[in-house]
Amino acid sequence: YLKSYLALTLTRAKRAQDAKLVWESVMDSAQTTKDEGTHWAQEDRLWLWYNDTIETHALALRTGSELGTKREKLDGMVQWLFLNKKLNHWKSTRATSEVIYSLTHYLKKTKQLGVKEKISVSLGGKTTHFDFDPSRYTGKKNQIVVAGDKVAANLVPVMIEKSTPGIAFASATWHYSTEKLPQEAVGDFLKVNRKFFKRAAEKSGMKLIPVKNGDEIQVGDEVEVQISLASKHQAEYVHLRDPRAAGFEPIDQVSQHKWDLGIYWYEEVRDNGTNFFFERLPQGQYTFKYRVRASLAGKFRAGPATIQPLYAPEFVGFSEGHEIKIIQQK
């Protein structure tokens, strides 16, 4: 943040070479990925006003626009800011104002200010054109909805093309219902995997024995459920739901707040599963554990664990499904 201000000050003081050296040291620490764009690691003390992540990234965009940073880096900064806005809420009007001010500089620099945007979507052999006029608000419902009786195999792939410069965000969401369990975990920005382990007492202590899809366990066996969660980008107000197979009962039946792994969440125990609510989910990988006990003999199915931000439901991930057979003790 301070280096950005220093680079701007040096530029306006006619010390362009010094400004370039300062700004290059900032860009050297930037990370650029296809999905997230260009960004920097979070500051250690985020609660300090001058470590505000959004304001810092916005000022970096403004500095880069003025100092002539490469176009792909500027586009990456814009991509990260809008992705962050999609998955989080910004904490201050100051940060929001800085983003708007910086975006104006960016649009002027790239000659996109006041330019009409055109996007075409090809779906099922039909192409729909969207025009975004800078002088007219088109509303929130810029979407194509296909009714259930019109859904067919030729709907995929969905092709999105932008004939004008700049970045566009689009998503394709499919709502469906099926009794077939997923054979593998699926996710992009958010990924979740689930594993079952039978707890067996041995002389050396408790041993965890993996329970694979279709394996048998006995009534009374204690099973540990391990849910691994990976987040590419920080997100807020995230819901992780893990359905419980009907033949199991939870060992811990009290819903409560928990703190571990550097994050805070509320764990809710219900009749049909366990819910995890995260007010803030930082980027990273996490593993959550809880235990259930086999209480009823039979063949049972556990639906996939799903993770989804409440205010950005298109960023969804789910685990594979499981079938477990519980038999009477021999």
Side-chain angles (χ1 to χ4, degrees):
Y1 187 84
L2 295 177
K3 283 182 178 179
S4 297
Y5 269 123
L6 177 58
L8 287 174
T9 303
L10 290 170
T11 299
R12 293 165 189 177
K14 310 299 182 183
R15 295 170 59 183
Q17 192 60 34
D18 292 335
K20 182 180 178 182
L21 290 173
V22 172
W23 187 237
E24 284 180 349
S25 71
V26 175
M27 293 305 298
D28 283 344
S29 61
Q31 305 174 42
T32 301
T33 62
K34 180 181 178 181
D35 291 333
E36 298 173 79
T38 302
H39 60 286
W40 287 264
Q42 289 188 344
E43 302 284 354
D44 292 334
R45 291 174 287 182
L46 291 175
W47 60 89
L48 296 173
W49 69 267
Y50 50 81
N51 283 345
D52 184 284
T53 303
I54 302 305
E55 191 175 345
T56 300
H57 280 69
L59 181 60
L61 174 63
R62 177 152 62 97
T63 306
S65 299
E66 190 164 326
L67 269 65
T69 299
K70 291 182 179 179
R71 174 66 183 272
E72 57 267 25
K73 294 293 184 181
L74 294 178
D75 290 346
M77 294 181 204
V78 174
Q79 178 182 342
W80 188 92
L81 282 169
F82 277 95
L83 180 61
N84 186 282
K85 180 61 176 174
K86 191 73 175 174
L87 291 168
N88 302 269
H89 78 284
W90 293 343
K91 306 301 187 293
S92 69
T93 54
R94 175 176 174 140
T96 304
S97 300
E98 182 63 54
V99 171
I100 295 172
Y101 189 59
S102 299
L103 284 173
T104 304
H105 278 265
Y106 162 78
L107 293 172
K108 285 183 177 179
K109 177 72 175 180
T110 56
K111 298 181 180 180
Q112 297 181 66
L113 191 61
V115 176
K116 191 174 184 178
E117 304 284 349
K118 294 184 178 182
I119 297 174
S120 60
V121 180
S122 299
L123 177 66
K126 181 181 178 182
T127 301
T128 305
H129 299 281
F130 293 93
D131 292 340
F132 298 95
D133 195 317
S135 61
R136 182 175 60 89
Y137 178 57
T138 58
K140 295 182 179 180
K141 295 297 182 179
N142 293 295
Q143 60 185 14
I144 303 170
V145 179
V146 181
D149 57 346
K150 300 290 180 60
V151 173
N154 67 338
L155 288 180
V156 288
V158 180
M159 303 298 294
I160 301 172
E161 297 180 343
K162 191 170 187 292
S163 57
T164 54
I167 300 171
F169 284 83
S171 64
T173 305
W174 184 21
H175 297 274
Y176 65 95
S177 177
T178 178
E179 292 192 8
K180 183 179 179 181
L181 294 176
Q183 299 301 310
E184 60 181 1
V186 176
D188 188 5
F189 277 85
L190 296 169
K191 295 182 180 181
V192 59
N193 284 281
R194 180 181 60 193
K195 294 181 180 179
F196 295 94
F197 297 89
K198 185 177 78 171
R199 290 170 53 85
E202 296 186 352
K203 291 183 179 180
S204 57
M206 297 300 295
K207 182 180 179 181
L208 295 180
I209 303 174
V211 179
K212 298 181 181 178
N213 195 24
D215 283 358
E216 292 183 352
I217 61 173
Q218 296 183 359
V219 171
D221 283 346
E222 190 175 294
V223 175
E224 181 173 292
V225 184
Q226 294 188 6
I227 302 175
S228 299
L229 168 61
S231 175
K232 280 187 180 181
H233 195 286
Q234 176 185 315
E236 293 180 346
Y237 306 112
V238 178
H239 176 209
L240 169 61
R241 180 178 182 272
D242 181 30
R244 184 168 53 251
F248 292 94
E249 291 293 334
I251 291 179
D252 187 357
Q253 301 188 15
V254 179
S255 300
Q256 57 186 317
H257 287 92
K258 291 187 176 182
W259 169 269
D260 195 11
L261 307 171
I263 58 174
Y264 185 69
W265 72 93
Y266 183 72
E267 191 169 315
E268 179 191 42
V269 182
R270 299 187 67 88
D271 292 340
N272 59 355
T274 302
N275 291 311
F276 300 80
F277 296 98
F278 306 92
E279 185 173 335
R280 178 176 175 270
L281 181 65
Q283 178 185 15
Q285 297 183 351
Y286 310 92
T287 300
F288 305 95
K289 306 174 184 178
Y290 68 92
R291 299 174 190 171
V292 294
R293 190 179 300 279
S295 60
L296 186 66
K299 188 176 181 180
F300 303 99
R301 290 150 48 101
T306 58
I307 183 166
Q308 196 170 32
L310 297 177
Y311 297 103
E314 63 270 29
F315 295 95
V316 65
F318 56 85
S319 73
E320 66 276 21
H322 289 86
E323 288 188 354
I324 300 176
K325 187 175 182 181
I326 303 176
I327 60 175
Q328 294 288 350
Q329 292 186 354
K330 300 177 181 179

